[in-house]
Structure formats: C-alpha cells, structure tokens
Amino acid sequence: LLQPYRSDDREEIYRTAALRMNASPSDVVLAPEIGALGFYTRARIWDSSGLVTPEARRFRDAAWRKRESGPGALGGGTIPPGVIEAIRPDWVVALSGFLSPLLRLSPGALDGYTLVAEYPTDRWGSSAVFVYRRDR
C-alpha cells in the first residue's frame, strides 16, 4: 500500500526555497509539506494538512474530504479553499499539484500574492514548487 517514493530533490528544493525566502520570525508560511521548510526557516509554519496546525482541520470538513477521494478526486495534500483567504499568510509554498486543485475551485485564492520563485520538479505529478509572497 505504501510505496517508497523519491524525495531526493524535493527536500533540497524546500531547503533552497526557505533560505532564499529569508522570512522573518513574524512571517507565516502556509505549506502542505512542512519538513524542510520548517527546519530551514525562522518563520512560523501553518501546516495546511493539519498534522501540526490543528486550526487547519476546520477547512477539512466532510465535504472537503469527499472532494479528496472518489470520482474527480482532487488528491491528498491539496490546499483547501478558504484557508489562504482566512489566514492571509505572508508566504504560500507548495507543489503545483497541491495548488492546481485549489485554483480550479477558487481562482482568486492567490489574489494579492506574487509568484517570487519556481523550482522545477516532477514530484507527484507536479511541474514545480511555487513560492508566493503576499503583496504588502
């Protein structure tokens, strides 16, 4: 059931992203994958998956879980609609495969954000890890 997957470039991409962001300790970074980001940044991490940020679970109700499975599934790890608008993080960092479903459902979710970095990768059907910064 659980098959090994390559992660060799992904952790390096997140490390590079975290160091280049140079986020301050008061900044909030929203991300569905937080390992290397959390290790290499001084910013506060908001885990959109809800594993270490309990507040995220309110965005993952029964309707959202249904959209992550079954016909036309969005897939696990995706960022739920409403979360970016509700918390207004300073940064959003995610694989394109985790952002695309959100943007299909909520095309304006990243309004007020600027794409500041893109790191190519083919992990989990993605084309890149995107780094967005909130416009100030």
Side-chain angles (χ1 to χ4, degrees):
L1 183 64
L2 295 175
Q3 298 177 13
Y5 61 90
R6 283 183 41 225
S7 62
D8 53 323
D9 73 333
R10 197 177 66 198
E11 273 58 11
E12 179 60 22
I13 287 171
Y14 284 124
R15 181 186 74 79
T16 300
L19 294 174
R20 288 185 181 164
M21 286 166 41
N22 196 28
S24 77
S26 63
D27 283 353
V28 174
V29 177
L30 181 138
E33 298 183 295
I34 63 169
L37 280 172
F39 188 81
Y40 287 104
T41 185
R42 300 174 306 153
R44 294 181 0 222
I45 299 294
W46 209 94
D47 167 27
S48 65
S49 298
L51 297 173
V52 296
T53 306
E55 298 88 359
R57 288 192 296 256
R58 71 181 164 120
F59 296 98
R60 295 186 170 278
D61 59 9
W64 178 252
R65 288 190 300 277
K66 186 176 179 181
R67 285 191 295 250
E68 283 193 322
S69 62
L74 297 178
T78 55
I79 299 171
V83 69
I84 293 172
E85 298 90 331
I87 67 164
R88 299 301 296 163
D90 300 288
W91 302 87
V92 177
V93 181
L95 284 163
S96 61
F98 294 159
L99 281 172
S100 296
L102 167 68
L103 296 176
R104 275 196 312 274
L105 290 173
S106 301
L110 288 171
D111 287 354
Y113 286 81
T114 300
L115 179 64
V116 295
E118 182 176 336
Y119 301 96
T121 185
D122 62 356
R123 294 296 165 250
W124 290 347
S126 294
S127 61
V129 168
F130 293 122
V131 178
Y132 285 87
R133 179 163 177 81
R134 185 167 44 91
D135 300 334
R136 307 239 179 210

